[in-house]
Amino acid sequence: MQAVLRTLPLLLGLHAGVLLAKGMGEDEARHLLNRTGFSPDYRAIQQYALLSREEGVDRLLSSVQTRPETEPPAEIVQYTPPSAIKSLSEDAKRDFRRTLRQQGAQLQDWWLGEMLTTRSPLTERLTLLWHNHFTSSLDKVKEPVLIYKQNLLLRQHALGNFGTLLHAVTRDPAMLVYLDNARSKKEQPNENYAREVMELFALGEGHYTEQDIREGARALTGLTLNPDTGEAIFAPKRHDSGEKTLFGQRGRYDPDTFIDRILQQPATAEYVTRRLWREFVSPSPDEREVQRLAQQFRQDQLEMKPLLRRMLLSPAFWDPKNRGTLVKSPVELVVGTLRQFQPHLSGSQALVRAAGGMGQELFNPPNVKGWPGGNDWINTATLQARRQFLDQVFRGRDLPMPAPQMADAPMSKGEMSKGERQTQVLTRALSRIDINGQQWLRQFPDSPTGRQQVQLTLLPLPASGMKDNTEPMNEDWLLQLVLSPAYQLK
Amino acid sequence: MQRRHFLQALSASALLSTLPGTAWARDGKDYRKPLILIELKGGNDGLNTVVPYADPLYARLRPKLALPRDQILQLNGQLGLHPKLQPLMPFWQQQQLAILHNVGYPQPNQSHFRSIEIWDTASDSQSYLPDGWLTRQFSSERVPASYAADAAILGSQTLGPLLGRSRTVVLGSRKLEGGMMEDGMAGQQVSALEHLLKVETDIGTAARGLHYGKVDTEFPKTGFGSDLKRVAQLIAGNSQVAAFRLTLGSFDTHTNQLATQDRLLGELADGLAALSQALQTMGKWNDTLILTYAEFGRRVAENESGGTDHGMANAHFALGGRVKGGFHGEGPRLHDLDNGNLRYQIDFRSVYASVIDRWWNSDSSRVLGQRYSPVAFI
């Protein structure tokens, strides 16, 4: 009996395959595009529905670009050496810091704009994934140009070789600042990068010892930043060239050979596989599948494109049980909503701030572990922020806000805190976006079939608590759909 | 203890507590005395907080970081406080500030993320528990349903000791930037949809029960100061919440520690002094317990970047009208280090046991899986 149950889904799958010739159908097309991009529109779903799973996945993977489509504002890409700032007056220094903050905000706008307009959403999803994996923050690094260059680097290797990526990240100027290796010298090495590269970037906890951290930190000494150019350099005088013991083996490790040793550990391939699984498949990786995929990943010398291809074509990815199990990140919610309903929009501080209010401010993750994602995206504060955002961009017609106001202390008379002023400015900016739901609905027939198509486009699961299927297909109905819990999921 | 045994012990006690008429089926009245937990995120350097200034090893191991002796606020002939903690001195003199020395746990883990998870779940170094220690307390002895929430979180998006299925509200909106931590082991056990529906319910309950009262005390104009003010306002409004968790940071001072710690300890002390004043005005100071905690302390010796790397045991504070002030435990032993780190003397679970057993008159062994002797600061 058990054997029958196990083969049943397989048989059903074959059956459906025969019926639909070779096309994956609209449901699977939406799943594929939703998981690898930002809320696909109905036309894209229809196009992919005609392709087989394999053709769809291959088309997506071949679309991944290594450079952004839009250019950032010119002032972002200029580097100012600290020596040029030292001689400034206090006032001029303050101005300079303000300029840096403005550039940081422009940089956030730029990336959000790229996500809103790109022809390859998967490129942005992967870049966001690596930004969250190899985190750095504007808060600590301060120089937007370094963060910008890190973004270019993550993008360039987004679906390339993981080893190349890890080596490049180790020498990345923003990372050298963010995890303090720029300050590390042989006399007393700084352990920050050595620890995090093993714990968070490659191996995961339990696959190294405190001794490996201390010795790894010694191996990394000398890797620093040239303050005049803002580029990474290796300074042999600062490097500890003595023998070290890493993972039980002695050697005169330097930054490159240290990273190579990490890459050789089987744990690295498994760690990266789990990371991609949680991004694209489900919150809880299937360990047997992880082992299988990781082994092939190692045979492929840590090339990520074949890994992602296998993962997206694995039965687990298509398993209906895994639909709607992942929470959209704030950036996915914001970008996805606007790409779906309001094409041709570029970046704006209001949108960057909106995602920030839901817990994800671009280029400012909370700490080196990045945003944890999953169910942790949703708490009482962020869920309200999400629903307020959706309500505001759909409002136009003065629909009431259902969520109660509980988080804010009452305003004292005549005074408003900075936070409250910011919220008010944001509210105004967002309500100006004013999505025209009525017009959007016109691409679907006003019929039960049309209603189904709308739900299939927007939701990975049936909307709970919806009234019967005879309601008019108008903006009220649409707002109910986007405010349903299922809209928060992918 | 193995995880399995631990969980068995827990579920057995959870079962008992649901039987009517058992001794511990209380009405939760003791939760009217709130606990305020303050996470010094990133691992505050306890040695420059409670300073062993008379030990010559202190200055020797920290040629750049050792605080000048004449600036240290002397508590006795051996130990003193960081100068920015001046606002806490009146509490010390009134015996309302307890200093807990060398708090930690066996086989310490020096990863921020794993170590704070150990603190939050009150687990052993080698075991993994899905729920925060307060979540377990609140499910073994329930907070009355009439309460607005089990706990409120300010200044952070992470649930920390409230991980799991507690009725916790996260009060956002102070700053627009958010940020979440922890990989939410507990969050993985329920489906995303279930989680969403539960949070919706929590919003509704809290919206009915949270009230902000009027507070005249001036609080520091910092993020942490405004979080403390909101706590004071909620208490003034008689909002029923059993615990508050606030976060101050980041204390992860690998470089340039002096300036960063100065600023943060100043924020801490100024904020706590204001909170105390506000609560005294309301007559609630005797019914409030404030505790600091962090994932670890920092290495004894400074590094070359004017900072300190991840260490082990750490000094912590308990503050409140009924706290038994003074030192608890023996001060830092700089001549007896474990790989350059302070050894722990007080298990952090003993601190939790003090809160559960003596502050809430509950039973900590059901939450902690075994009996830890309370520290006598309550």
Side-chain angles (χ1 to χ4, degrees), chain A residues 361-374:
Chain A
E361 185 187 341
L362 285 177
F363 297 124
N364 266 328
N367 56 50
V368 58
K369 202 174 178 180
W371 298 284

Side-chain angles (χ1 to χ4, degrees), chain B residues 258-314:
Chain B
L258 284 174
T260 307
Q261 205 191 16
D262 255 33
R263 174 174 61 81
L264 291 171
L265 290 182
E267 279 189 39
L268 177 70
D270 293 342
L272 290 180
L275 178 65
S276 167
Q277 196 194 320
L279 292 174
Q280 287 180 40
T281 312
M282 295 172 224
K284 301 260 169 103
W285 179 234
N286 279 347
D287 286 335
T288 309
L289 173 63
I290 301 168
L291 267 186
T292 66
Y293 71 107
E295 60 266 49
F296 38 60
R298 305 198 75 82
R299 191 75 51 79
V300 173
E302 66 188 28
N303 65 22
E304 189 72 10
S305 340
T308 48
D309 293 320
H310 300 181
M312 295 180 183
N314 204 359

Side-chain angles (χ1 to χ4, degrees), chain B residues 110-347:
Chain B
Q110 286 166 279
S111 149
H112 288 293
F113 310 102
R114 175 61 189 142
S115 192
I116 197 66
E117 185 177 276
I118 289 166
W119 275 80
D120 284 337
T121 60
S123 75
D124 290 333
S125 185
Q126 308 301 326
S127 54
Y128 292 81
L129 296 175
D131 293 326
W133 69 278
L134 283 178
T135 299
R136 288 208 303 277
Q137 167 64 19
F138 295 151
S139 51
S140 95
E141 182 155 18
R142 290 194 186 281
V143 174
S146 62
Y147 273 47
D150 292 352
I153 286 176
L154 297 97
S156 164
Q157 303 270 353
T158 69
L159 298 178
L162 285 316
L163 262 175
R165 305 291 271 176
S166 62
R167 291 190 309 141
T168 294
V169 287
V170 179
L171 301 180
S173 92
R174 174 183 102 204
K175 290 189 286 181
L176 284 170
E177 84 240 24
M180 296 183 214
M181 217 178 96
E182 325 303 356
D183 50 17
M185 294 187 302
Q188 304 286 328
Q189 292 184 337
V190 293
S191 78
L193 187 62
E194 274 180 280
H195 177 70
L196 270 158
L197 295 172
K198 179 195 173 283
V199 171
E200 271 189 2
T201 312
D202 288 345
I203 292 174
T205 314
R208 287 189 295 277
L210 286 185
H211 307 284
Y212 292 87
K214 192 166 146 49
V215 168
D216 292 327
T217 310
E218 197 163 319
F219 279 76
K221 304 244 174 301
T222 58
F224 182 65
S226 84
D227 285 341
L228 287 170
K229 183 173 182 179
R230 291 172 72 198
V231 170
Q233 287 171 326
L234 285 168
I235 294 175
N238 289 317
S239 303
Q240 291 186 303
V241 176
F244 297 90
R245 202 284 301 263
L246 294 91
T247 304
L248 175 63
S250 166
F251 286 92
D252 193 19
T253 48
H254 286 278
T255 60
N256 194 22
Q257 173 171 306
L258 284 174
T260 307
Q261 205 191 16
D262 255 33
R263 174 174 61 81
L264 291 171
L265 290 182
E267 279 189 39
L268 177 70
D270 293 342
L272 290 180
L275 178 65
S276 167
Q277 196 194 320
L279 292 174
Q280 287 180 40
T281 312
M282 295 172 224
K284 301 260 169 103
W285 179 234
N286 279 347
D287 286 335
T288 309
L289 173 63
I290 301 168
L291 267 186
T292 66
Y293 71 107
E295 60 266 49
F296 38 60
R298 305 198 75 82
R299 191 75 51 79
V300 173
E302 66 188 28
N303 65 22
E304 189 72 10
S305 340
T308 48
D309 293 320
H310 300 181
M312 295 180 183
N314 204 359
H316 282 295
F317 296 129
L319 185 67
R322 277 189 215 165
V323 163
K324 293 184 183 130
F327 293 111
H328 296 265
E330 193 194 337
R333 295 156 58 93
L334 303 186
H335 56 280
D336 175 27
L337 301 179
D338 172 4
N339 254 318
N341 289 299
L342 294 172
R343 295 173 195 279
Y344 90 98
Q345 291 170 352
I346 297 177
D347 192 299

